[in-house]
Amino acid sequence: MVEPDPEPAAFGAGQRLGAPETLGISTLDPGHRPPAMPPGRRVTIRVRMLDDTEELFEISQKASGKVLFDLVCSHMNLIEGDYFGLEFQNHQKMMVWLDHIKPIIKQLRRPKHMILRFAVKFFPPDHAQLLEELTRYLFALQIKQDVSCGRLTCNDTSAALMVSNIIQSEIGDFEESQCRSHLLNNNYIPDQMPLIDKIMEFHSKHIGQTPAESDYQLLEVARRLEMYGIRLHPAKDREGTRLSLAVAHTGVLVFQGHTKINAFNWSKVRKLSFKRKRFLIKLRPDLNSSYQDTLEFLMASRDCCKVFWKICVEYHAFFRLFEEPKPKPKPVLFTRGSSFRFSGRTQKQLIDYVRESEFKKIPFERKHSRVQYNSRLSPLPSPRHHEVPTEVSNSAQCRQFFIAFIHRITEHSPYLSASSGHPHGMFNGQRPLELCGHSPDGRQPSPLTSPLLNDACSVRTDDEDEVRRKRFPTDRAYFIAKELLTTERTYVKDLEVVTSFQNALGQDEETPDSLKKTIFSTFEPLHRFHTGFLREVEQRLALWEGRSNAHIKGDYQRIGDVMLKNFQGLKPLTASLHKQSEALLELEKACRSSRRLEGLCREFELQKVCYIPLNVFILRPLHRLIHYKQILERLCKHYPATHVDFRDCRAALADVSEVVDQLQGSLIKMENFQKLLELKKDLIGPDNLVVPGREFIRLGCLSKLSGKGLQQRMFFLFNDVILYTSRGMTATNQFKVHGQLPLHGMTIRESEDEWGVPHAFTLVGQQQSVVVAASSRTEMEKWVEDIRMAIEMAQTSNGPSSDLLSNNLTDSKCPEDSAAEAESEDDITASQTSLERPAPHRGNTMVHVCWHRNTSVSMVDFSLAVENQLSGNLLRKFKNSNGWQKLWVVFTNFSLFFYKSHQDDYPLASLPLLGYSVTIPSESENIHKDYVFKLHFKSHIYYFRSESEYTFERWLEVIRSATVPSGGAQVLNNKESHPH
């Protein structure tokens, strides 16, 4: 079916897929040995893989089917093995799946002469749920087989498009003579000859598409076909009409030929059973339905009924249950009926497992592909790079990469261009790992991890730090002043980012002069002022700490006088801060009119120094004034009225409060405007998201109930409309909008009982109703409260019209949301246009964090995050490590950013905190130190030590603001919408 490889391979499929024979690791249980083999006679079993090679496995006849299956997955280095199974032809000539619970000897009569087929067993509704590139590659091989044998039927356009993606993966970019020759020598579909020209036409549009992208696009086309993942089982109805039964993630399906004529959703099915040749479907009572309570189908034999019933049981458990069902207790006297049950992880358990897995997968090689392909350079990010924090424990590898890192630093400027590192695998444009923690294959680990926090590479501290700290003043006012110092250091670094950006703008001829003037006139003077202010604060703190004899007089154990003097000089510079919205707006307009300028901004935002969105840096001066006010309020609260520093602090507080009050209205509008601009970059679909009057309220994950079951979706709530989206795996990392729900006339009703889904509620619109489910009762209450409040606003205000969103969303419907939608030519052409190479995009904004942590964030949370920012040194330790590592830590945008010291220009690692909990270690954890707090997310635990009671309280305060998001919504008045 394919041309032979240029060089004959002398190794097995497992090695081709990247698993050396000596690996000795079962990927189904990372870090452990392959499954234990029970004693007994050994037998060699032959397994045919999806790439048509055959592998031999030696196993005890007494071993269970799961032992063999785990060996096969371990051999391929396959983590998401639960989607697959081993099938074989039993003694009755029927294809059945190997039972994981039963011993091999009870299932295979003549194992030496039998060939088992490794194949896809469970087809999920959305291949974005497949988190490993290897898994998607194996699914692509399965689709290739199904298309070739005629099992996956489709029209000519779909067939040609799928073949074009297959050959793009196998032979690379289009070259006419090579492509035609390849198609003449290889048959991918029945009756291929008439379609060769159409296949070549599609292939010519895939130039630059990597094998991984080709797999993704192949699955994108295949999943829209009605016969995707369908295995037909012949049957008859009561009238004797020939039919076929099938099972999918949605429920039991009925086909006549290759046309689906009926579907019984799991929520409507009360019981599935069989009695001799009769297969029975018992439905829940429904007054609106004309169906009988029990439907009966006649199959060829009792064994046929039982085989299909088993598959239905497994499909239902895998896609609908949260956990693997527990075995029923064995009856004492006699049994009645089959004892078969589903064995293995459910899809939910599997997804959670892969996301939490600390296993570092080595790359695999594609047998069929001749394309020279490096997975590190692929514009298609591996979804496993977006998971929760992992630890790296190989100290030798860490030391090796630490040396390489130091070498890179000496060769390159810290202000690296976007081309020096691929943007994917970043959090807000900043790579989470540079110091250590590279996996053996050189891949970048998860952008939601903090690999710098690695015990093997840490610079540990000992009790000398405590001795040194004890020399410092213990007065609370000193630590408040020190917070001013540490946060001012971060603020000056942030101003340097903006001045670097304005220097880049100044060198670009297409940048409008008005834009240059707006930014230059604000940030250059601010940077000069705060550099001087920081120098004064550092000098005062050095005197306060007693690093000279001047402190003996006691005149320098205060900070109010320094702040008062400088704030009087700061006032003229803050007079124009209310015009920051003009700078944001002008920058946005300039980028829309100049592709070159847009590219310049995007490249700058992908640099390591730009560790948060660029627009946030532009609003930093406004946020900093709020921080000054908070610090002065703490000092005034701490000091008695007779203290020498009280009068200066109170006067400085009055000055800064006056400025903050004047700018408060502008700040609210600009934060909303900035958030809309940020969301615009994350979304594909809306044409006019940023319009006057539109206010952002909440974004986050909900499961949407459709004909294909519950599917994870990102929802975006505004004051006039709700958008729901799914995350694509294209180079942009953006979310594709599937539909919109106008809020005008919408109602909400809780519907857990109605659908049998926990935390479910229904959004009832004038034209469409949508059933969604939250991840928890708390999340549901947040969404319901915010949506109800937004509905009330939409009824009483003259906000923006939802028609301003793109026209292709007006029907509020996506093909995958239809329960029984036939394949259409429009879907095929849509798949083609999505293959155009878009520009890179920051891979992990807060939207992505919410997607992977299955949570939500409101505009109130974003506003609180502005106030809750902190910088300073912390000591870090892992759960099982001994020493403490000293790090410079910056908390902003719901994340901790880690540096070796405050002089560093960019963070070396980051840790988004949404979903984490912060607590105090218990006695049993044996953390015998003061001022320690614990960060905990599922299996990931970090301990941090602060230097004083005050800093300990402050870190807890700001981190809790990120780990315990608020529930209520706080939306602007219509008069205070952003400018446009």
Short mmCIF file of all heavy atoms in Angstrom, two decimals, residues 906-957:
data_model
loop_
_atom_site.label_atom_id
_atom_site.label_comp_id
_atom_site.label_asym_id
_atom_site.label_seq_id
_atom_site.Cartn_x
_atom_site.Cartn_y
_atom_site.Cartn_z
N TYR A 906 14.59 38.42 32.85
CA TYR A 906 13.38 37.67 32.52
C TYR A 906 13.28 36.44 33.42
O TYR A 906 14.29 35.93 33.92
CB TYR A 906 13.36 37.25 31.05
CG TYR A 906 14.61 36.52 30.59
CD1 TYR A 906 14.76 35.15 30.78
CD2 TYR A 906 15.62 37.22 29.95
CE1 TYR A 906 15.90 34.50 30.36
CE2 TYR A 906 16.77 36.58 29.52
CZ TYR A 906 16.90 35.21 29.74
OH TYR A 906 18.04 34.55 29.33
N PRO A 907 12.08 35.95 33.67
CA PRO A 907 11.90 34.79 34.55
C PRO A 907 12.38 33.51 33.88
O PRO A 907 12.32 33.37 32.67
CB PRO A 907 10.39 34.76 34.80
CG PRO A 907 9.80 35.47 33.63
CD PRO A 907 10.79 36.50 33.19
N LEU A 908 12.84 32.59 34.72
CA LEU A 908 13.29 31.30 34.23
C LEU A 908 12.19 30.24 34.30
O LEU A 908 12.31 29.20 33.68
CB LEU A 908 14.50 30.82 35.06
CG LEU A 908 15.72 31.75 35.00
CD1 LEU A 908 16.77 31.28 35.98
CD2 LEU A 908 16.27 31.80 33.60
N ALA A 909 11.16 30.50 35.07
CA ALA A 909 10.07 29.53 35.20
C ALA A 909 8.83 30.24 35.71
O ALA A 909 8.92 31.35 36.24
CB ALA A 909 10.47 28.40 36.16
N SER A 910 7.70 29.61 35.53
CA SER A 910 6.44 30.20 35.99
C SER A 910 5.52 29.12 36.50
O SER A 910 5.63 27.95 36.11
CB SER A 910 5.77 30.98 34.86
OG SER A 910 5.44 30.10 33.80
N LEU A 911 4.62 29.50 37.39
CA LEU A 911 3.66 28.55 37.95
C LEU A 911 2.30 29.22 38.08
O LEU A 911 2.07 29.98 39.02
CB LEU A 911 4.14 28.07 39.33
CG LEU A 911 3.26 27.04 40.03
CD1 LEU A 911 3.24 25.73 39.25
CD2 LEU A 911 3.75 26.79 41.44
N PRO A 912 1.37 28.98 37.14
CA PRO A 912 0.01 29.50 37.29
C PRO A 912 -0.66 28.86 38.49
O PRO A 912 -0.57 27.64 38.69
CB PRO A 912 -0.67 29.08 35.98
CG PRO A 912 0.46 28.81 35.04
CD PRO A 912 1.56 28.28 35.87
N LEU A 913 -1.35 29.66 39.29
CA LEU A 913 -1.86 29.17 40.57
C LEU A 913 -3.35 28.84 40.56
O LEU A 913 -3.86 28.36 41.56
CB LEU A 913 -1.60 30.21 41.66
CG LEU A 913 -0.12 30.45 41.98
CD1 LEU A 913 0.02 31.47 43.10
CD2 LEU A 913 0.58 29.16 42.37
N LEU A 914 -4.06 29.10 39.47
CA LEU A 914 -5.47 28.75 39.44
C LEU A 914 -5.63 27.25 39.68
O LEU A 914 -4.98 26.44 39.04
CB LEU A 914 -6.09 29.12 38.10
CG LEU A 914 -6.33 30.61 37.85
CD1 LEU A 914 -6.92 30.82 36.48
CD2 LEU A 914 -7.25 31.20 38.91
N GLY A 915 -6.50 26.89 40.58
CA GLY A 915 -6.70 25.48 40.90
C GLY A 915 -5.88 25.02 42.09
O GLY A 915 -6.19 23.98 42.69
N TYR A 916 -4.82 25.73 42.44
CA TYR A 916 -4.01 25.37 43.60
C TYR A 916 -4.72 25.77 44.89
O TYR A 916 -5.60 26.64 44.91
CB TYR A 916 -2.65 26.07 43.55
CG TYR A 916 -1.58 25.28 42.83
CD1 TYR A 916 -1.55 25.22 41.45
CD2 TYR A 916 -0.61 24.60 43.55
CE1 TYR A 916 -0.58 24.50 40.79
CE2 TYR A 916 0.37 23.88 42.91
CZ TYR A 916 0.40 23.82 41.53
OH TYR A 916 1.36 23.10 40.89
N SER A 917 -4.30 25.14 45.98
CA SER A 917 -4.73 25.57 47.30
C SER A 917 -3.49 25.94 48.09
O SER A 917 -2.42 25.36 47.90
CB SER A 917 -5.51 24.46 48.02
OG SER A 917 -4.70 23.31 48.17
N VAL A 918 -3.63 26.92 48.99
CA VAL A 918 -2.51 27.33 49.83
C VAL A 918 -2.90 27.09 51.28
O VAL A 918 -3.97 27.52 51.73
CB VAL A 918 -2.13 28.81 49.58
CG1 VAL A 918 -3.30 29.74 49.78
CG2 VAL A 918 -0.95 29.22 50.44
N THR A 919 -2.07 26.36 51.99
CA THR A 919 -2.36 25.98 53.37
C THR A 919 -1.08 26.07 54.20
O THR A 919 0.00 26.35 53.69
CB THR A 919 -2.91 24.54 53.45
OG1 THR A 919 -1.96 23.64 52.83
CG2 THR A 919 -4.25 24.41 52.75
N ILE A 920 -1.23 25.80 55.49
CA ILE A 920 -0.09 25.74 56.40
C ILE A 920 0.26 24.26 56.60
O ILE A 920 -0.63 23.43 56.81
CB ILE A 920 -0.44 26.37 57.77
CG1 ILE A 920 -1.06 27.75 57.56
CG2 ILE A 920 0.81 26.46 58.65
CD1 ILE A 920 -0.20 28.73 56.82
N PRO A 921 1.55 23.87 56.53
CA PRO A 921 1.91 22.46 56.69
C PRO A 921 1.49 21.94 58.07
O PRO A 921 1.52 22.67 59.06
CB PRO A 921 3.44 22.46 56.55
CG PRO A 921 3.77 23.74 55.85
CD PRO A 921 2.72 24.72 56.24
N SER A 922 1.09 20.68 58.09
CA SER A 922 0.70 20.04 59.34
C SER A 922 1.93 19.48 60.05
O SER A 922 3.03 19.42 59.48
CB SER A 922 -0.30 18.92 59.07
OG SER A 922 0.31 17.91 58.27
N GLU A 923 1.74 19.07 61.29
CA GLU A 923 2.85 18.51 62.06
C GLU A 923 3.44 17.28 61.39
O GLU A 923 4.65 17.04 61.41
CB GLU A 923 2.37 18.15 63.47
CG GLU A 923 2.07 19.34 64.36
CD GLU A 923 3.34 20.08 64.79
OE1 GLU A 923 4.42 19.44 64.82
OE2 GLU A 923 3.26 21.29 65.06
N SER A 924 2.58 16.47 60.77
CA SER A 924 3.04 15.21 60.17
C SER A 924 3.95 15.43 58.98
O SER A 924 4.64 14.51 58.55
CB SER A 924 1.82 14.38 59.73
OG SER A 924 1.07 15.09 58.77
N GLU A 925 3.99 16.65 58.43
CA GLU A 925 4.82 16.90 57.27
C GLU A 925 6.27 17.24 57.63
O GLU A 925 7.11 17.40 56.75
CB GLU A 925 4.20 18.04 56.43
CG GLU A 925 2.89 17.62 55.79
CD GLU A 925 2.18 18.76 55.09
OE1 GLU A 925 2.45 19.01 53.91
OE2 GLU A 925 1.33 19.41 55.74
N ASN A 926 6.52 17.37 58.93
CA ASN A 926 7.89 17.55 59.44
C ASN A 926 8.61 18.74 58.81
O ASN A 926 9.79 18.66 58.45
CB ASN A 926 8.72 16.27 59.20
CG ASN A 926 8.19 15.09 59.98
OD1 ASN A 926 7.80 15.23 61.15
ND2 ASN A 926 8.13 13.93 59.34
N ILE A 927 7.93 19.85 58.69
CA ILE A 927 8.56 21.09 58.22
C ILE A 927 8.82 21.94 59.46
O ILE A 927 7.97 22.72 59.90
CB ILE A 927 7.66 21.85 57.23
CG1 ILE A 927 7.24 20.93 56.08
CG2 ILE A 927 8.38 23.09 56.70
CD1 ILE A 927 8.39 20.48 55.20
N HIS A 928 9.99 21.77 60.05
CA HIS A 928 10.27 22.42 61.33
C HIS A 928 10.91 23.78 61.11
O HIS A 928 12.04 24.05 61.54
CB HIS A 928 11.17 21.53 62.18
CG HIS A 928 10.60 20.16 62.40
ND1 HIS A 928 9.39 19.95 63.06
CD2 HIS A 928 11.03 18.93 62.01
CE1 HIS A 928 9.12 18.66 63.10
NE2 HIS A 928 10.10 18.01 62.47
N LYS A 929 10.21 24.66 60.43
CA LYS A 929 10.66 26.01 60.16
C LYS A 929 9.50 26.97 60.36
O LYS A 929 8.33 26.58 60.25
CB LYS A 929 11.19 26.14 58.72
CG LYS A 929 12.37 25.24 58.39
CD LYS A 929 13.65 25.69 59.08
CE LYS A 929 14.83 24.81 58.68
NZ LYS A 929 16.08 25.21 59.40
N ASP A 930 9.84 28.22 60.63
CA ASP A 930 8.79 29.24 60.78
C ASP A 930 8.42 29.83 59.42
O ASP A 930 9.21 29.80 58.47
CB ASP A 930 9.29 30.37 61.70
CG ASP A 930 9.50 29.88 63.12
OD1 ASP A 930 8.78 28.95 63.53
OD2 ASP A 930 10.39 30.43 63.81
N TYR A 931 7.23 30.39 59.37
CA TYR A 931 6.75 31.16 58.22
C TYR A 931 6.77 30.33 56.93
O TYR A 931 7.23 30.79 55.89
CB TYR A 931 7.58 32.43 58.03
CG TYR A 931 7.81 33.20 59.31
CD1 TYR A 931 9.08 33.61 59.70
CD2 TYR A 931 6.73 33.49 60.16
CE1 TYR A 931 9.29 34.31 60.88
CE2 TYR A 931 6.93 34.20 61.34
CZ TYR A 931 8.21 34.59 61.70
OH TYR A 931 8.41 35.28 62.88
N VAL A 932 6.26 29.13 57.00
CA VAL A 932 6.21 28.23 55.83
C VAL A 932 4.75 28.07 55.39
O VAL A 932 3.86 27.87 56.22
CB VAL A 932 6.81 26.85 56.16
CG1 VAL A 932 6.66 25.90 54.96
CG2 VAL A 932 8.28 26.99 56.54
N PHE A 933 4.53 28.18 54.09
CA PHE A 933 3.21 27.86 53.54
C PHE A 933 3.37 26.83 52.43
O PHE A 933 4.45 26.66 51.86
CB PHE A 933 2.47 29.11 53.04
CG PHE A 933 3.18 29.87 51.96
CD1 PHE A 933 2.96 29.59 50.62
CD2 PHE A 933 4.05 30.91 52.29
CE1 PHE A 933 3.60 30.31 49.62
CE2 PHE A 933 4.70 31.63 51.29
CZ PHE A 933 4.48 31.33 49.96
N LYS A 934 2.28 26.13 52.14
CA LYS A 934 2.31 25.01 51.18
C LYS A 934 1.37 25.29 50.03
O LYS A 934 0.22 25.70 50.22
CB LYS A 934 1.88 23.71 51.89
CG LYS A 934 1.83 22.50 50.98
CD LYS A 934 1.53 21.22 51.75
CE LYS A 934 0.09 21.12 52.16
NZ LYS A 934 -0.28 19.80 52.71
N LEU A 935 1.85 25.06 48.81
CA LEU A 935 1.03 25.12 47.61
C LEU A 935 0.76 23.69 47.15
O LEU A 935 1.69 22.89 47.02
CB LEU A 935 1.72 25.90 46.50
CG LEU A 935 1.72 27.42 46.64
CD1 LEU A 935 2.56 28.06 45.54
CD2 LEU A 935 0.31 27.97 46.59
N HIS A 936 -0.50 23.40 46.89
CA HIS A 936 -0.88 22.01 46.61
C HIS A 936 -1.88 21.96 45.46
O HIS A 936 -2.89 22.66 45.46
CB HIS A 936 -1.51 21.41 47.87
CG HIS A 936 -1.95 19.99 47.70
ND1 HIS A 936 -3.10 19.49 48.27
CD2 HIS A 936 -1.40 18.95 47.03
CE1 HIS A 936 -3.24 18.21 47.94
NE2 HIS A 936 -2.23 17.87 47.19
N PHE A 937 -1.54 21.18 44.42
CA PHE A 937 -2.47 20.93 43.32
C PHE A 937 -2.38 19.45 42.98
O PHE A 937 -1.38 18.97 42.44
CB PHE A 937 -2.12 21.77 42.09
CG PHE A 937 -3.02 21.52 40.91
CD1 PHE A 937 -4.28 22.07 40.85
CD2 PHE A 937 -2.60 20.71 39.86
CE1 PHE A 937 -5.11 21.85 39.77
CE2 PHE A 937 -3.43 20.47 38.78
CZ PHE A 937 -4.69 21.05 38.73
N LYS A 938 -3.43 18.69 43.35
CA LYS A 938 -3.46 17.25 43.11
C LYS A 938 -2.20 16.62 43.71
O LYS A 938 -2.00 16.68 44.90
CB LYS A 938 -3.65 16.95 41.63
CG LYS A 938 -4.99 17.45 41.10
CD LYS A 938 -5.29 17.03 39.69
CE LYS A 938 -6.68 17.52 39.30
NZ LYS A 938 -7.01 17.16 37.90
N SER A 939 -1.32 16.05 42.89
CA SER A 939 -0.15 15.36 43.45
C SER A 939 1.07 16.26 43.58
O SER A 939 2.14 15.82 43.97
CB SER A 939 0.21 14.16 42.57
OG SER A 939 0.54 14.60 41.26
N HIS A 940 0.92 17.56 43.28
CA HIS A 940 2.07 18.47 43.27
C HIS A 940 2.05 19.34 44.51
O HIS A 940 1.07 20.03 44.79
CB HIS A 940 2.04 19.33 42.01
CG HIS A 940 1.96 18.51 40.76
ND1 HIS A 940 3.07 17.91 40.20
CD2 HIS A 940 0.90 18.15 39.99
CE1 HIS A 940 2.70 17.24 39.13
NE2 HIS A 940 1.40 17.35 38.98
N ILE A 941 3.16 19.28 45.25
CA ILE A 941 3.26 20.01 46.52
C ILE A 941 4.56 20.80 46.54
O ILE A 941 5.63 20.27 46.25
CB ILE A 941 3.20 19.04 47.71
CG1 ILE A 941 1.84 18.31 47.76
CG2 ILE A 941 3.43 19.78 49.02
CD1 ILE A 941 1.74 17.27 48.85
N TYR A 942 4.45 22.09 46.88
CA TYR A 942 5.61 22.95 47.05
C TYR A 942 5.52 23.61 48.42
O TYR A 942 4.44 24.02 48.86
CB TYR A 942 5.66 24.06 45.99
CG TYR A 942 5.62 23.57 44.57
CD1 TYR A 942 4.42 23.60 43.84
CD2 TYR A 942 6.75 23.10 43.93
CE1 TYR A 942 4.37 23.17 42.53
CE2 TYR A 942 6.72 22.67 42.62
CZ TYR A 942 5.52 22.70 41.93
OH TYR A 942 5.48 22.27 40.63
N TYR A 943 6.68 23.74 49.08
CA TYR A 943 6.76 24.49 50.33
C TYR A 943 7.58 25.76 50.10
O TYR A 943 8.61 25.72 49.42
CB TYR A 943 7.43 23.65 51.42
CG TYR A 943 6.68 22.38 51.77
CD1 TYR A 943 7.09 21.16 51.26
CD2 TYR A 943 5.58 22.42 52.61
CE1 TYR A 943 6.40 19.99 51.56
CE2 TYR A 943 4.88 21.26 52.93
CZ TYR A 943 5.29 20.05 52.40
OH TYR A 943 4.62 18.91 52.70
N PHE A 944 7.13 26.87 50.69
CA PHE A 944 7.85 28.14 50.58
C PHE A 944 8.02 28.74 51.97
O PHE A 944 7.09 28.71 52.79
CB PHE A 944 7.08 29.12 49.68
CG PHE A 944 7.04 28.72 48.24
CD1 PHE A 944 5.98 27.97 47.74
CD2 PHE A 944 8.06 29.08 47.37
CE1 PHE A 944 5.94 27.59 46.41
CE2 PHE A 944 8.03 28.72 46.04
CZ PHE A 944 6.97 27.97 45.56
N ARG A 945 9.21 29.34 52.21
CA ARG A 945 9.51 30.01 53.47
C ARG A 945 9.72 31.49 53.22
O ARG A 945 10.43 31.87 52.29
CB ARG A 945 10.77 29.44 54.11
CG ARG A 945 10.62 28.09 54.77
CD ARG A 945 11.97 27.52 55.12
NE ARG A 945 12.74 28.37 56.03
CZ ARG A 945 14.03 28.23 56.24
NH1 ARG A 945 14.72 27.31 55.59
NH2 ARG A 945 14.66 29.02 57.09
N SER A 946 9.12 32.30 54.06
CA SER A 946 9.35 33.74 53.99
C SER A 946 10.19 34.16 55.19
O SER A 946 10.41 33.37 56.12
CB SER A 946 8.02 34.50 53.96
OG SER A 946 7.22 34.14 55.06
N GLU A 947 10.63 35.44 55.20
CA GLU A 947 11.62 35.85 56.19
C GLU A 947 11.02 36.40 57.48
O GLU A 947 11.72 36.52 58.48
CB GLU A 947 12.54 36.92 55.58
CG GLU A 947 11.81 38.20 55.19
CD GLU A 947 12.75 39.23 54.60
OE1 GLU A 947 13.98 39.03 54.68
OE2 GLU A 947 12.27 40.24 54.05
N SER A 948 9.73 36.73 57.45
CA SER A 948 9.15 37.34 58.64
C SER A 948 7.66 37.06 58.68
O SER A 948 7.07 36.59 57.71
CB SER A 948 9.36 38.87 58.62
OG SER A 948 8.59 39.46 57.59
N GLU A 949 7.07 37.37 59.82
CA GLU A 949 5.63 37.17 59.96
C GLU A 949 4.86 38.04 58.98
O GLU A 949 3.88 37.61 58.38
CB GLU A 949 5.20 37.49 61.40
CG GLU A 949 3.71 37.26 61.65
CD GLU A 949 3.32 37.57 63.08
OE1 GLU A 949 4.19 37.99 63.87
OE2 GLU A 949 2.12 37.41 63.41
N TYR A 950 5.34 39.29 58.79
CA TYR A 950 4.65 40.20 57.87
C TYR A 950 4.68 39.67 56.44
O TYR A 950 3.65 39.62 55.77
CB TYR A 950 5.30 41.59 57.93
CG TYR A 950 4.75 42.52 56.87
CD1 TYR A 950 3.52 43.15 57.02
CD2 TYR A 950 5.45 42.75 55.68
CE1 TYR A 950 3.00 44.00 56.05
CE2 TYR A 950 4.94 43.58 54.69
CZ TYR A 950 3.72 44.20 54.88
OH TYR A 950 3.21 45.01 53.91
N THR A 951 5.86 39.30 55.95
CA THR A 951 5.95 38.81 54.57
C THR A 951 5.19 37.50 54.41
O THR A 951 4.60 37.25 53.35
CB THR A 951 7.42 38.63 54.15
OG1 THR A 951 8.10 37.83 55.12
CG2 THR A 951 8.11 39.97 54.04
N PHE A 952 5.20 36.67 55.44
CA PHE A 952 4.42 35.43 55.42
C PHE A 952 2.95 35.73 55.21
O PHE A 952 2.28 35.14 54.36
CB PHE A 952 4.65 34.67 56.72
CG PHE A 952 3.75 33.48 56.93
CD1 PHE A 952 3.95 32.30 56.23
CD2 PHE A 952 2.70 33.54 57.83
CE1 PHE A 952 3.11 31.20 56.42
CE2 PHE A 952 1.86 32.46 58.03
CZ PHE A 952 2.07 31.28 57.32
N GLU A 953 2.42 36.69 55.97
CA GLU A 953 1.00 37.07 55.85
C GLU A 953 0.71 37.65 54.47
O GLU A 953 -0.34 37.39 53.87
CB GLU A 953 0.65 38.08 56.94
CG GLU A 953 0.65 37.50 58.34
CD GLU A 953 0.51 38.58 59.41
OE1 GLU A 953 0.52 39.78 59.03
OE2 GLU A 953 0.38 38.22 60.59
N ARG A 954 1.64 38.46 53.95
CA ARG A 954 1.42 39.09 52.65
C ARG A 954 1.41 38.05 51.53
O ARG A 954 0.56 38.11 50.62
CB ARG A 954 2.51 40.13 52.39
CG ARG A 954 2.35 41.39 53.19
CD ARG A 954 1.15 42.22 52.73
NE ARG A 954 1.37 42.74 51.39
CZ ARG A 954 0.48 42.69 50.40
NH1 ARG A 954 -0.71 42.14 50.60
NH2 ARG A 954 0.75 43.19 49.20
N TRP A 955 2.33 37.10 51.57
CA TRP A 955 2.34 36.08 50.52
C TRP A 955 1.06 35.24 50.57
O TRP A 955 0.48 34.92 49.53
CB TRP A 955 3.57 35.18 50.65
CG TRP A 955 4.81 35.79 50.07
CD1 TRP A 955 5.89 36.27 50.74
CD2 TRP A 955 5.10 35.98 48.68
NE1 TRP A 955 6.83 36.77 49.86
CE2 TRP A 955 6.37 36.60 48.59
CE3 TRP A 955 4.41 35.71 47.50
CZ2 TRP A 955 6.97 36.93 47.38
CZ3 TRP A 955 4.99 36.04 46.29
CH2 TRP A 955 6.25 36.65 46.22
N LEU A 956 0.64 34.90 51.78
CA LEU A 956 -0.62 34.15 51.88
C LEU A 956 -1.78 34.96 51.32
O LEU A 956 -2.65 34.44 50.62
CB LEU A 956 -0.89 33.79 53.35
CG LEU A 956 -0.18 32.56 53.91
CD1 LEU A 956 -0.63 32.33 55.35
CD2 LEU A 956 -0.45 31.32 53.08
N GLU A 957 -1.80 36.24 51.63
CA GLU A 957 -2.90 37.11 51.18
C GLU A 957 -2.97 37.18 49.66
O GLU A 957 -4.06 37.00 49.08
CB GLU A 957 -2.69 38.51 51.77
CG GLU A 957 -3.78 39.51 51.39
CD GLU A 957 -3.49 40.90 51.93
OE1 GLU A 957 -2.56 41.04 52.76
OE2 GLU A 957 -4.19 41.85 51.53
#
